[in-house]
Amino acid sequence: MNAIVDISHLSARYGRTMALDDVSLQVDKGELFGVIGPDGAGKSTLYKILATLMPPASGGASVCGLDIVKDYRDVRSRIGYMPERFSLYKDLSVQENLKFFAALFGVSVKKNFDLIAPIFRQLERFPDRKAGALSGGMKQKLALSCALIHRPEILLLDEPTTGVDAVSRSEFWDILQSLKNQGITILVSTSYMDEANLCERIAMIDRGRILGTDTPARLVARLGERLFAARADNMFRLLEELRRLPQVKECYTFGANLHAVVSDDFDPQQAARMMEHCGLKGVSITPAEGTIEDLFIKLTANEQ
Amino acid sequence: MKLRILKALLRKEIKLMRRNPIIPKIIVMMPLMVMLVMPLVANLDVKQVNVTVVDNDRTDISRRIVADLQAADNIDVTDNCTSYNAALRTMDDGTADVILCIPYRFAADMLTAPEPLDILANGVNANKGMLGARYVAQSVAGTLKEIRRDSGIVAETTESSVINRFNPTLNFRNYMIPALMVMLIIIICGFLPALNIAEEKETGTIEAMNVTPVSRFIFVLSKLIPYWVVGLIVVTVGMVIGRVVYGLAPEGSIGQIYLAAILFSLVMSSLGVIVANVSSTMLQSIFIMFAVVMVFQLMGGLFTPISSMPDWARYLTYGIPPRYFIEIMRAVYLKGTSLGGLWLQYTALGGMAILLSVIAALTYRKQS
């Protein structure tokens, strides 16, 4: 058994609301594991429990073989937790924040600097700048550096890329990849479905329940349905008309296109002709690759 | 290990405190302002009483009474009315605090069957009216005594004299200065830690702290220690100003004052931490603190004596920490009471300090 994070039948509640409902998950050592789900799915609650900030209502979890409730003290020195909200001291400088967190964990910045060097390099240019005066992407890097300074075995990142620009986001994922290569297990949560493919394995979570856990490719394969991308000059009318077709099981907006889940007897050329007949112009209906988002829509639609 | 963590935490606290744009200024300016201005402003001494005289007698004797009144300290004869009603109008206008009414044939009957003199006080400002009436009565009594003596009659009344011990001039300032230092510690050591922790909650930094192996006792200690130091600085500044500006030095030992100040700073800062622990925003913690401080100021014997409170309230004050600190400060400052004479107050304060700091550490939750 080499699961470094082992969650079994974990439940959590805020008053009467179930935040997590019978969640079970295993994360292997050295994995880059994604927790994917919309806002309010229970991702942050899961992270808080794993970071020993909140006790579970029932069920349990172990991190590095340590129980998160009984051995919460030891767990804290084995994990690096980066909460969703920026949580460093804004009035301390970059250097001071790093030194402060190192001191709390009883490590020296110098000894563990190799780990954070690639991340910290860009921050080194202004060591005396106050953390509050950094840009969003830079704040992110500083927070990650502080979470890493004690060389944790597991990194818990709660929506690290929310509110970060596209360039910084892709940079951030490169950093995660290099950390993974150094043997650190990473649990990253995100509400951006496109980031799912950057993880080795993902767990899809919605309304406190795990919808599925697997590699992104295998999860998408579960979709098991024909999918077409459609577009025309009037997208809204196209949506209405497509939904009227008996062969179209489901139709929804997907980026700049519509995605249509169809039955086997669907003929794209015929459908396009029908749409043009309805007065729509520039209609194109082409086969599309399914994504995690399509799966999400399918799974959550079934629930309703 | 623990000590090193505490040192790192303290270094952070001091850095953040110094970089805060307002807090250091408040810590310096507030004691200065309070100690320099409040003793002059918050004063119950009545400096000038305006008196309207209605002299229905118009004799040498009545004129002498009025002249003596005019000459007396603190009394100013502002009006001389011919009728009682006119005099009442000056009180309505607010120009007179006291009316002295000398009846017709007062001088003539003085030695045989004296008519009483009427003294009317304006009770809107109860303190001023009461003291003013007493000043006027004293002045008139003095004049009458002299007149009797001049005419060879020995006064029948026995005289009593009052000597104010420990505060010979009954200077309200001497009574207030030790109490003002108490108020400063209540405000600075109570509010600042409450705001400090609530701020960490609001900015989310407390979450990052909570996943570190820092124990809650160490964390709470790192919040309390800076405010002990601040409390001691405040008391020192207060004592220096008291000595230099008002010439009031403690009769008792300075060590005793510091001991009480340390205990009381601990009480107040622990209370601040407890308040922050139970509230989730700065606004909440400020409101709770205000409620607590209000009770402390009004029931701790700061402005009004505890002995004049109703019984039930007097028992309540045994649970109010500033009560003991105020008693110690006034006793050491004005009477020079020794440690032995105040052991009850020190024990009560020390017990509360221990109790509250333990509660402060216990109510601090690292988990939500």
Side-chain angles (χ1 to χ4, degrees), chain B residues 203-252:
Chain B
T203 54
T205 47
I206 207 147
E207 223 170 58
M209 292 298 310
N210 287 350
V211 286
T212 62
V214 176
S215 79
R216 59 186 182 189
F217 284 94
I218 296 282
F219 181 76
V220 168
L221 204 57
S222 79
K223 294 287 178 193
L224 296 181
I225 290 175
Y227 297 103
W228 287 352
V229 178
V230 169
L232 291 183
I233 293 173
V234 166
V235 167
T236 309
V237 169
M239 281 200 288
V240 169
I241 293 178
R243 178 78 192 81
V244 174
V245 180
Y246 304 106
L248 182 69
E251 291 286 329

Side-chain angles (χ1 to χ4, degrees), chain A residues 52-53 85 89 91 96 106, chain B residues 4 19 200 202 367-368:
Chain A
T52 75
L53 290 177
R85 207 150 55 116
Y89 290 94
D91 285 335
E96 285 166 341
Chain B
R4 209 206 38 248
R19 283 181 199 169
E200 290 222 22
E202 273 190 11
Q367 296 186 327
S368 52

Side-chain angles (χ1 to χ4, degrees), chain A residues 90-244:
Chain A
K90 280 183 288 198
D91 285 335
L92 290 186
S93 71
V94 168
Q95 196 75 46
E96 285 166 341
N97 264 302
L98 199 60
K99 273 194 185 149
F100 174 60
F101 280 95
L104 295 189
F105 281 99
V107 297
S108 77
V109 174
K110 213 182 256 173
K111 223 178 87 196
N112 289 337
F113 194 74
D114 60 296
L115 190 64
I116 59 163
I119 311 161
F120 202 65
R121 201 162 290 141
Q122 295 160 60
L123 289 162
E124 272 177 314
R125 278 183 284 141
F126 24 76
D128 295 323
R129 186 177 292 188
K130 301 266 174 72
L134 293 173
S135 68
M138 290 291 176
K139 273 184 186 163
Q140 213 68 15
K141 281 171 193 143
L142 178 60
L144 185 60
S145 302
C146 289
L148 276 170
I149 194 65
H150 59 292
R151 211 178 273 275
E153 290 164 56
I154 302 171
L155 203 48
L156 299 173
L157 307 175
D158 192 7
E159 302 209 24
T161 51
T162 300
V164 175
D165 67 89
V167 178
S168 298
R169 261 171 70 189
S170 85
E171 254 178 39
F172 197 81
W173 279 95
D174 289 343
I175 289 169
L176 293 191
Q177 195 60 49
S178 75
L179 287 173
K180 178 200 136 55
N181 293 340
Q182 299 201 46
I184 294 175
T185 310
I186 301 169
L187 243 86
V188 56
S189 79
T190 178
S191 54
Y192 297 118
M193 304 285 167
D194 54 320
E195 290 183 339
N197 293 318
L198 302 168
C199 304
E200 286 173 285
R201 282 203 309 145
I202 58 169
M204 293 167 64
I205 183 169
D206 184 52
R207 276 177 273 173
R209 301 229 303 276
I210 300 283
L211 302 178
T213 310
D214 215 327
T215 62
R218 259 183 279 170
L219 277 174
V220 171
R222 273 193 214 177
L223 198 56
E225 289 184 276
R226 293 177 74 200
L227 195 66
F228 284 89
R231 60 183 309 145
D233 60 341
N234 186 338
M235 296 298 277
F236 185 67
R237 269 205 65 203
L238 183 67
L239 181 69
E240 282 183 321
E241 295 298 337
L242 279 173
R243 276 182 177 168
R244 225 170 266 170

